[in-house]
Amino acid sequence: MDWNKLAEALIPDKNIRPLEEYEALYPERDLPKGAKVTRLAPSPTGFMHLGNLYVAIANERIAHQSGGVFYLRIEDTDAKRKVEGAVEVIHSSLKYFGIGFDEGAELSGNYGPYYQRQRAEIYHAYAKDLILRGLAYPCFCTEEELEKTREYQTENKLLPGYYGEFARCRNLTEEEIYENLAKGKPYVIRLRSQGDVNVKHTFHDAVKGEITVTENNQDVVILKSDGIPTYHFAHAVDDHLMRTNLVIRGEEWLASLPIHIELFKVLGFRLPEYGHNCSIQKIDGDTRRKLSKRKDPEASLTFYREEGYHPLAVRTYMMTLLNSNFEEWLLKFPDKPLDEFKFSIGKMGKSGALFDILKLYDVSKSVMSRLSETEMYDFLSDWAKEYGTETQKSWFADRDYLLRVLALCMGVGGKKRRKDFVCARQAMGLLSYFFDASFAPEYSFRFDKNTVRAVLEDFKKTYDPEDDSSVWFNKVKAVADAHGFASDMKAYKANPEAYAGNVSDVAEMLRIAVTGLSNTPDLWTIMQILGKDRTLSRIDRAIGAL
């Protein structure tokens, strides 16, 4: 076989340069010893999965802690899946959660282009070299022929794929190849695998530890009929030339590891360190399954932005899934920046990470409670501009008023911060009773209407917004006594049957009348914020509803 002639016939790309020039164009990076070069390499589908954030955080932390580089590469070899604006979605989504790239697509960098479809010339050069060395060949099999092979393998319970006796084009003669080319038959370029599935090796996975890997014997496609590489081939060439030395990726890629090991070997590249992180799972009834973008809204990063989870809360929660010792560190140093935590590949889980929305709630409450009222104002304002209703957007017109509301609802200045807010959407719902346009009470009084009406009428007669909290409460107690409710809790506890209820029941009637809720922050402060006219108007409204 004249390999030179075949290589020219199969890959007539005149832009190809000698491999030495590509090696010189993308030299070894000048980095500190032990520095890791990691990457995120999504397809431009426009959908960012929680798993993308999971992997991104791990790669970003490992790279930056070691003094290395974290870059973005867009694996767009499958044109059918490409969505316009997808790269902007990737950048904006990850930026929201505090993930930044050092170089990559739509950024500067000396190792680009960072879009695979723009690197065709490079892939052609390395594929041509494999043909020259007899390690790749053309395959003219049609989809129908390949499908018949798959059916036969399935029926006979054989290993699926293109190998051995099923690799029909592997041993075509020179005459047969040129005859097919002369007929204009479309072809792909396949690897001529040197592997043996009966041979197994021990492989060190950076996450899972020692695993057993079977050699690859599949003659996988490396260049498709349009000259664009497959993921397997493109990623090997790119990771080498971009000088990636650590690849943290999902465990679904474990099945492809034998192919990747062989590709790096035949290409003469140093194999990067691989770590396959566990999938994110959730409890579904009595079973545990992988988080699904089709079934689970929380699988999409868009969900967290639309609901208004604070980015620090989501990132903090993801760290609890990523490193087993993170929660212990967080308890010791709750106020330290997350980047001060020493991320460790060895502490990443080897089995499925369980996503728990209730745990996210708890983490989010803690993060939100540590914000100042001005930080909360800015966060909610940004959320409302993008996802809020027109009514909610109007709340931000009076900054001072809303800051007073937030200070109360967050417990600012108190002995202990309140932890009522989970996310922006929920927080906005909790704040709605402070605004007339969104005040829509569903009164639910526990006492008969006549009693409630009498209590509210009497309170109105004595209410004075100039009263401080102690004078105000003494007036509430006086109303309680006047209607058979105990103002002295000790007396009530000693003989509850002697009273219609106690002063807290009277306070609840006032609370429901003014806010529509039975549980709120300090009622005196709420009335101070609402002001006299609004407070009395709401009490009148409640009386009218009885």
Side-chain angles (χ1 to χ4, degrees):
M1 183 77 73
D2 185 339
W3 300 114
N4 284 295
K5 178 184 175 184
L6 181 61
E8 288 298 328
L10 296 176
I11 305 180
D13 191 335
K14 301 302 180 184
N15 296 317
I16 291 176
R17 290 178 271 181
L19 299 189
E20 295 79 15
E21 289 191 25
Y22 296 113
E23 296 293 331
L25 188 61
Y26 303 105
E28 292 287 347
R29 294 174 182 267
D30 184 15
L31 296 170
K33 184 178 180 181
K36 299 299 182 184
V37 179
T38 66
R39 42 78 164 176
L40 188 70
S43 298
T45 62
F47 181 89
M48 287 298 286
H49 191 279
L50 192 65
N52 295 130
L53 179 61
Y54 186 78
V55 173
I57 292 175
N59 280 295
E60 183 269 335
R61 284 291 76 221
I62 293 165
H64 291 159
Q65 283 182 176
S66 65
V69 173
F70 176 50
Y71 70 89
L72 174 66
R73 184 172 75 225
I74 300 301
E75 302 197 331
D76 56 352
T77 55
D78 187 349
K80 294 178 182 177
R81 299 181 66 199
K82 186 176 181 180
V83 173
E84 282 301 317
V87 178
E88 289 75 12
V89 170
I90 294 168
H91 275 294
S92 63
S93 296
L94 294 180
K95 183 180 180 181
Y96 179 80
F97 295 107
I99 306 296
F101 298 99
D102 301 302
E103 61 184 62
E106 301 305 308
L107 300 168
S108 59
N110 297 323
Y111 290 79
Y114 295 94
Y115 291 86
Q116 289 185 328
R117 292 189 77 86
Q118 296 175 14
R119 299 171 64 85
E121 165 204 329
I122 302 173
Y123 307 129
H124 291 173
Y126 282 93
K128 194 168 188 177
D129 179 67
L130 291 181
I131 297 169
L132 288 168
R133 293 190 283 132
L135 293 172
Y137 64 91
C139 172
F140 300 92
C141 290
T142 64
E143 275 302 317
E144 292 74 18
E145 290 170 333
L146 294 173
E147 181 58 33
K148 285 182 180 178
T149 298
R150 284 192 286 269
E151 290 174 358
Y152 176 84
Q153 290 169 336
T154 301
E155 290 171 3
N156 291 276
K157 298 180 179 179
L158 298 171
L159 181 72
Y162 199 88
Y163 62 93
E165 64 180 294
F166 303 111
R168 297 176 54 185
C169 294
R170 180 183 175 106
N171 297 312
L172 290 178
T173 64
E174 194 168 6
E175 183 180 351
E176 289 172 321
I177 290 174
Y178 286 109
E179 184 179 329
N180 286 327
L181 291 175
K183 292 179 180 178
K185 283 190 176 182
Y187 61 90
V188 299
I189 305 296
R190 289 185 181 272
L191 170 72
R192 191 185 298 276
S193 174
Q194 307 298 299
D196 182 347
V197 289
N198 296 309
V199 177
K200 300 181 186 298
H201 300 285
T202 299
F203 181 86
H204 179 75
D205 186 284
V207 175
K208 297 184 178 296
E210 302 300 309
I211 60 174
T212 300
V213 175
T214 301
E215 280 191 355
N216 172 62
N217 73 334
Q218 299 279 343
D219 286 5
V220 294
V221 176
I222 59 174
L223 286 186
K224 293 179 279 189
S225 57
D226 60 359
I228 296 298
T230 57
Y231 165 78
H232 300 304
F233 188 63
H235 111 274
V237 173
D238 291 342
D239 278 345
H240 169 66
L241 292 180
M242 295 179 184
R243 306 302 172 179
T244 314
N245 55 21
L246 174 64
V247 177
I248 300 293
R249 60 186 184 181
E251 62 186 355
E252 66 270 16
W253 290 106
L254 266 174
S256 301
L257 184 59
I259 297 171
H260 299 162
I261 291 173
E262 182 172 14
L263 280 171
F264 273 87
K265 182 179 179 180
V266 298
L267 287 165
F269 301 157
R270 182 173 65 248
L271 189 71
E273 188 177 7
Y274 282 101
H276 295 85
N277 62 267
C278 58
S279 60
I280 301 178
Q281 302 177 346
K282 70 175 290 185
I283 299 295
D284 188 356
D286 296 327
T287 62
R288 183 167 169 159
R289 62 169 175 79
K290 189 174 179 180
L291 202 64
S292 166
K293 67 179 182 181
R294 293 180 180 84
K295 297 180 181 179
D296 308 307
E298 64 271 29
S300 170
L301 292 188
T302 303
F303 168 81
Y304 302 94
R305 298 185 69 174
E306 290 178 347
E307 291 301 303
Y309 283 93
H310 196 280
L312 181 58
V314 176
R315 186 173 173 127
T316 301
Y317 177 65
M318 295 304 291
M319 290 294 290
T320 70
L321 298 180
L322 278 162
N323 257 196
S324 59
N325 59 331
F326 173 74
E327 287 186 78
E328 182 182 348
W329 177 87
L330 188 62
L331 286 172
K332 290 181 180 178
F333 310 107
D335 298 318
K336 279 194 174 184
L338 294 188
D339 288 355
E340 290 192 23
F341 171 72
K342 185 66 176 177
F343 189 91
S344 170
I345 303 177
K347 296 293 184 180
M348 292 179 70
K350 294 177 173 58
S351 57
L354 184 61
F355 178 83
D356 182 353
I357 193 74
L358 296 180
K359 188 171 181 179
L360 172 60
Y361 290 169
D362 289 339
V363 171
S364 191
K365 285 180 180 180
S366 294
V367 168
M368 297 276 267
S369 72
R370 290 199 293 272
L371 300 178
S372 68
E373 65 268 41
T374 53
E375 288 173 328
M376 184 65 79
Y377 178 95
D378 291 341
F379 173 64
L380 295 180
S381 177
D382 288 343
W383 178 86
K385 287 173 185 174
E386 192 164 359
Y387 302 107
T389 64
E390 290 305 313
T391 296
Q392 289 172 333
K393 291 174 185 176
S394 71
W395 299 355
F396 297 88
D398 189 339
R399 179 183 175 87
D400 290 339
Y401 179 79
L402 185 50
L403 284 174
R404 291 176 67 198
V405 170
L406 291 172
L408 168 66
C409 293
M410 296 171 67
V412 175
K415 292 181 180 179
K416 191 176 183 181
R417 284 294 193 93
R418 295 180 67 94
K419 294 185 177 181
D420 295 345
F421 293 168
V422 176
C423 59
R425 189 181 300 280
Q426 173 259 4
M428 296 292 274
L430 292 181
L431 300 175
S432 63
Y433 66 86
F434 281 98
F435 302 90
D436 291 339
S438 50
F439 177 59
E442 293 184 11
Y443 300 114
S444 179
F445 296 106
R446 293 187 293 113
F447 294 88
D448 67 86
K449 294 182 179 181
N450 291 332
T451 299
V452 175
R453 185 182 296 111
V455 165
L456 296 180
E457 291 282 8
D458 274 7
F459 176 80
K460 276 181 60 182
K461 296 173 185 176
T462 64
Y463 176 63
D464 184 347
E466 298 300 320
D467 292 339
D468 63 21
S469 59
S470 60
V471 173
W472 174 86
F473 189 53
N474 284 334
K475 289 183 176 180
V476 174
K477 287 168 44 172
V479 172
D481 287 331
H483 293 277
F485 290 82
S487 61
D488 185 334
M489 291 302 294
K490 288 184 179 179
Y492 177 74
K493 289 178 180 177
N495 189 15
E497 292 80 10
Y499 302 95
N502 60 60
V503 68
S504 65
D505 296 318
V506 172
E508 182 182 275
M509 295 177 203
L510 294 170
R511 190 182 308 277
I512 292 172
V514 173
T515 69
L517 304 170
S518 59
N519 183 26
T520 69
D522 181 65
L523 181 57
W524 174 80
T525 308
I526 289 174
M527 290 183 176
Q528 292 296 109
I529 293 173
L530 290 173
K532 181 179 180 179
D533 292 344
R534 189 179 284 161
T535 297
L536 293 179
S537 173
R538 291 187 176 192
I539 292 174
D540 284 337
R541 180 174 175 176
I543 291 171
L546 291 169

